[in-house]
Amino acid sequence: MALRCAVFASGGGSNFQALINRKESGDLHVDFVLMIGNNSTAGAFEKARKHNIPSVHLAPSHFKSPDDYQSKLLAVLQEHRVELIVLAGYMKMLPSEVVRRYNNRIVNIHPGLLPAFGGKGMYGSRVHQAVLDYGAKVTGVTVHFVNEMYDEGPVICQVPVIVNDTDDCQTLAGRVLEVEHSTYWRAIEAIAKGAIRVEGRRVTGYV
Ligand code: GRF
């Protein structure tokens, strides 16, 4: 049986689409059994619909309490027998009980080379602008396991992207996003094949 993955997305879902493409081309051996979004207008829902992937709109603000939200989220994950949670442009922190139950079974992709240019509030173009403002010469993509601290889980893989003198936020974001699309599926495939080992902060086995 293929690894049962749930994708969480808040926006357009280009990473989600890239993963679907790799699955449908036979490169990625997982089953996308669920898509969860916190923003009902997110383009990721349309992508899920087009590819017959069940989707659920779940937003913390819809619930009377964080515990109610957490219980519902856990129930939906259990109902779909989710084995790996894949955050793909997801802007919300997962409830701590979800992170605990899915220890080293939640992955995220960050458009920078963590620990640099990461942490709460550092996402999307804010990362690329911070890289340019700092004058960094290299940025890149980080795929990491998710723990209870923003962007601080064990790193699975990183791919560098050179910052050109002519880059602005948009050109840099475009090149980094391309690398996200070509990298994320490889990390998930390595997990699906059981190739990844986590010893403390060290993750080995990604090729
Ligand atoms: C992008 O900034 C990407 O770098 C990060 O999430 C944002 C939206 O990605 N991973 P997507 O196009 O919705 O996948």
Side-chain angles (χ1 to χ4, degrees):
M1 291 291 278
L3 188 70
R4 296 173 65 84
C5 298
V7 177
F8 284 51
S10 299
S14 73
N15 273 287
F16 181 28
Q17 185 63 58
L19 294 173
I20 291 170
N21 295 347
R22 287 289 179 173
K23 151 96 179 155
E24 293 182 349
S25 65
D27 292 328
L28 181 55
H29 302 86
V30 300
D31 284 336
F32 292 115
V33 299
L34 177 66
M35 180 247 143
I36 289 184
N38 61 299
N39 167 8
S40 60
T41 63
F45 279 104
E46 180 56 19
K47 292 178 170 67
R49 192 192 62 73
K50 277 192 182 141
H51 295 275
N52 302 313
I53 297 169
S55 60
V56 176
H57 174 214
L58 270 187
S61 57
H62 291 173
F63 294 84
K64 289 199 295 292
S65 71
D67 282 353
D68 287 356
Y69 166 63
Q70 178 173 274
S71 303
K72 177 66 177 171
L73 181 50
L74 283 167
V76 169
L77 291 169
Q78 235 161 340
E79 179 192 333
H80 290 80
R81 292 182 286 117
V82 170
E83 296 169 301
L84 181 71
I85 294 174
V86 178
L87 306 185
Y90 188 64
M91 299 298 163
K92 294 283 182 189
M93 192 68 195
L94 292 176
S96 54
E97 183 57 21
V98 174
V99 175
R100 194 186 65 75
R101 285 205 208 170
Y102 286 84
N103 181 45
N104 291 335
R105 294 193 297 143
I106 308 172
V107 290
N108 182 46
I109 190 161
H110 180 75
L113 291 180
L114 295 173
F117 306 112
K120 192 167 171 56
M122 287 304 283
Y123 55 83
S125 56
R126 291 182 180 186
V127 176
H128 309 303
Q129 193 56 59
V131 166
L132 292 167
D133 293 348
Y134 190 87
K137 298 304 178 186
V138 180
T139 185
V141 169
T142 302
V143 181
H144 63 97
F145 285 112
V146 170
N147 63 17
E148 298 191 15
M149 308 294 286
Y150 269 100
D151 296 336
E152 291 186 15
V155 172
I156 299 167
C157 69
Q158 294 187 297
V159 179
V161 173
I162 300 299
V163 181
N164 298 329
D165 291 352
T166 54
D167 268 323
D168 61 17
C169 196
Q170 193 179 358
T171 58
L172 187 57
R175 286 209 317 285
V176 172
L177 195 57
E178 278 173 21
V179 174
E180 288 184 51
H181 294 168
S182 59
T183 302
Y184 211 0
W185 75 272
R186 290 183 186 279
I188 295 167
E189 179 69 4
I191 293 168
K193 288 192 297 195
I196 296 287
R197 293 282 169 275
V198 186
E199 290 111 22
R201 282 206 60 86
R202 293 297 305 276
V203 177
T204 55
Y206 173 79
V207 287

